[in-house]
Amino acid sequence: MTLSEKDQLYHWHPYTQHQTTGLLPAIVKGDGALLWDENGKEYIDAIASWWVNPFGHSNQVIADAIFKQLTTLEHVLFGGFTNKPAILLAEKLMEILPSNQKKIFYSDNGSTAVEVAIKASLQYFYNKNQKRTKIIALEDAFHGDTFGAMASSGITFFTEAFQGSLLEVVRIPVPTSGNETTSLQALEKMVQTNEFAAFIFEPLCQGAAGMVMYSPEVLDKMITLCKANSVFTIADEVMTGFGKTGKTFAIDYLETNPDMMCLSKALTGGTIPMAITTFTQEIFNGFLDEDVNKAFFHGHTFTANPTGCAAALASITLLETDEMQKNIERIHDLHLDFEQKIKIHSRVKTTRILGVIFALEIKTENQESYYGTLRNKLYQFFIENGIVLRPVGNTVYILPPYIITNQQLEKVYNVVEKALEIV
Ligand SMILES: *Cc1c(COP(=O)(O)O)cnc(C)c1O
């Protein structure tokens, strides 16, 4: 049996209807932007393996840091103890996070980072005997698949089976160009009710929705509105963090700062599952009391895993190098050139660029569903051509690892252009 056949025997894959899914390529090696399957077929990983892998596969610097940590102290519980890599990472984060972020809470993945932010928001008001029990989120948002994160997510077919078991979340329109006023007015109405604990958003770019973008100016206004009405703001930077938008964090484009931030995905350069939720001192102080019950009773077994922290520290150090910063600019410039060329194509509806993120919407007769026929046809075409891209509905996006070569990126562009001819 091949690995692909054995996989079919044993595995249940994420977001997969197995009734209609065939054998999946079994990847056996990765190097830089490239992956190889068991038959030796080569793929360019043009979405950095779901946005986690900006420094390339099998990165030696991160691997060395992990090896060193594994052979010094692989893990120690964070309940009742601390560890050195966690402290070094916290110090590093304090240098790069907005100055109002003072406390670091560790967990394991993007969804848990969001759960932590939501639970802290709700308990903050509970501790103060204030009844603020609801959350505000954007339409088409994606914040993860656990219950709180899922409740905040607006991609309906991900969550419809669970309606009725979810936290109360009210959704407002995404403030995309032309919709700023509608969105701001909806937010204003919500925050004035004093029923909401927090407003959660993916800053500037909604990844899973298909790289839907909006401006820093409108987000500044939204955060200001929330602050004026004592509603906490949660910037879910799980996708946008660590250079994707051209700055370290998307909120670095803003004048205002959010109260909480969620980080994961590229945090450890795609090596070890880890996540962080960061807080202001004010929120942290809301849990201080002689009464033990006011503490935040949330934790995960692998909290602040030293190996994960060492990997994150190595990743951030890589991100800060001139070489990596130049790579981000280089990819951004190549995207701009490609956009000039492709936007006049008769099948292209719109294009969007932010940092290393490039998105293109294909003109279609009908509204395309998330995992619809067009999407599946495109996906298969890309895989056949050795490119890993996961279109969303009629949107094709590229979010390459920063170390992708010009030649590899040109190949991705060429295949995207060819794809426009087959649809
Ligand atoms: C991927 C993602 C999550 C969920 O992260 P997981 O690690 O898959 O749980 C949350 N928020 C955003 C913005 C994401 O892109």
Side-chain angles (χ1 to χ4, degrees):
M1 259 204 253
T2 63
L3 293 175
S4 292
E5 285 162 349
K6 288 187 183 178
D7 173 79
Q8 199 172 48
L9 200 55
Y10 300 124
H11 289 157
W12 190 343
H13 284 260
Y15 312 114
T16 302
Q17 176 47 269
H18 281 283
Q19 172 101 9
T20 49
T21 302
L23 293 175
L24 303 174
I27 301 300
V28 294
K29 189 177 159 58
D31 188 10
L34 298 177
L35 295 167
W36 290 272
D37 71 17
E38 65 181 322
N39 304 315
K41 180 172 172 173
E42 185 179 287
Y43 303 82
I44 299 174
D45 187 353
I47 56 166
S49 280
W50 264 342
W51 327 329
V52 303
N53 201 277
F55 315 114
H57 292 283
S58 310
N59 182 287
Q60 196 62 49
V61 175
I62 308 176
D64 287 345
I66 289 174
F67 182 77
K68 201 166 151 223
Q69 190 58 46
L70 279 177
T71 48
T72 308
L73 172 67
E74 80 304 337
H75 182 66
V76 63
L77 68 168
F78 209 56
F81 291 93
T82 189
N83 69 73
K84 190 172 168 190
I87 287 164
L88 296 178
L89 176 58
E91 279 180 335
K92 184 55 152 185
L93 287 168
M94 289 302 148
E95 285 172 26
I96 63 173
L97 285 168
S99 59
N100 72 337
Q101 296 301 298
K102 300 290 190 205
K103 294 286 172 184
I104 308 286
F105 194 99
Y106 291 101
S107 65
D108 311 331
N109 58 70
S111 303
T112 57
V114 168
E115 295 293 332
V116 166
I118 289 176
K119 283 179 70 177
S121 308
L122 296 175
Q123 194 185 333
Y124 176 92
F125 291 108
Y126 179 83
N127 281 357
K128 286 193 171 348
N129 283 320
Q130 289 181 32
K131 199 173 177 305
R132 284 179 178 264
T133 54
K134 302 184 196 169
I135 302 290
I136 307 168
L138 295 177
E139 282 168 5
D140 301 326
F142 181 73
H143 297 293
D145 290 332
T146 53
F147 268 79
M150 174 172 66
S152 316
S153 297
I155 299 173
T156 47
F157 75 95
F158 278 44
T159 61
E160 65 191 15
F162 312 100
Q163 294 305 329
S165 321
L166 298 176
L167 178 79
E168 201 171 336
V169 177
V170 177
R171 245 167 276 291
I172 60 170
V174 189
T176 46
S177 177
N179 297 310
E180 291 94 340
T181 314
T182 330
S183 183
L184 279 166
Q185 282 170 348
L187 180 64
E188 188 163 26
K189 218 172 108 194
M190 295 302 148
V191 294
Q192 285 171 350
T193 62
N194 296 330
E195 291 173 1
F196 292 91
F199 167 43
I200 185 167
F201 49 87
E202 294 156 271
L204 309 191
C205 181
Q206 294 185 298
M211 305 298 158
V212 171
M213 297 179 188
Y214 58 93
S215 78
E217 291 76 21
V218 69
L219 186 55
D220 265 324
K221 287 185 189 154
M222 296 174 104
I223 292 177
T224 306
L225 256 178
C226 288
K227 280 201 198 306
N229 292 278
S230 307
V231 173
F232 286 128
T233 48
I234 305 170
D236 177 356
E237 293 246 15
V238 169
M239 188 284 282
T240 48
F242 304 104
K244 314 268 181 52
T245 64
K247 294 194 189 265
T248 304
F249 300 109
I251 51 117
D252 294 341
Y253 284 94
L254 305 188
E255 306 281 326
T256 55
N257 288 328
D259 299 297
M260 289 165 245
M261 289 174 69
C262 304
L263 309 172
S264 188
K265 294 220 162 103
L267 173 63
T268 63
T271 56
I272 293 185
M274 195 168 91
I276 284 174
T277 314
T278 70
F279 294 98
T280 59
Q281 190 69 41
E282 180 203 353
I283 297 174
F284 180 78
N285 289 350
F287 292 76
L288 299 178
D289 201 278
E290 293 302 316
D291 179 1
V292 68
N293 290 331
K294 298 228 161 148
F296 190 46
F297 281 100
H298 184 106
H300 297 281
T301 312
F302 278 96
T303 295
N305 170 249
T307 312
C309 291
L313 196 56
S315 295
I316 296 172
T317 311
L318 275 176
L319 175 66
E320 288 181 324
T321 59
D322 278 350
E323 186 194 346
M324 215 51 79
Q325 293 297 319
K326 287 209 181 86
N327 278 335
I328 292 172
E329 281 172 39
R330 172 178 63 89
I331 293 169
H332 182 72
D333 291 343
L334 287 170
H335 281 347
L336 290 173
D337 291 346
F338 180 56
E339 181 182 47
Q340 284 311 312
K341 184 172 157 205
I342 204 74
K343 74 178 180 193
I344 51 177
H345 193 288
S346 62
R347 295 303 312 270
V348 173
K349 191 170 152 202
T350 54
T351 53
R352 295 184 284 275
I353 294 178
L354 180 65
V356 304
I357 307 166
F358 172 89
L360 169 162
E361 271 183 51
I362 298 175
K363 266 188 213 154
T364 53
E365 305 273 305
N366 310 309
Q367 176 84 15
E368 283 297 326
S369 66
Y370 203 89
Y371 281 121
T373 326
L374 171 73
R375 182 267 173 204
N376 291 340
K377 195 168 161 192
L378 287 166
Y379 179 78
Q380 282 312 328
F381 180 79
F382 294 135
I383 290 296
E384 277 157 28
N385 283 276
I387 311 283
V388 182
L389 285 174
R390 288 179 65 94
V392 172
N394 66 330
T395 302
V396 175
Y397 72 84
I398 307 169
L399 202 168
Y402 309 154
I403 47 70
I404 194 169
T405 65
N406 288 1
Q407 208 186 3
Q408 287 163 344
L409 193 49
E410 288 301 338
K411 182 168 175 205
V412 177
Y413 293 147
N414 284 335
V415 175
V416 169
E417 198 174 345
K418 276 204 202 108
L420 294 175
E421 309 303 328
I422 65 133
V423 293

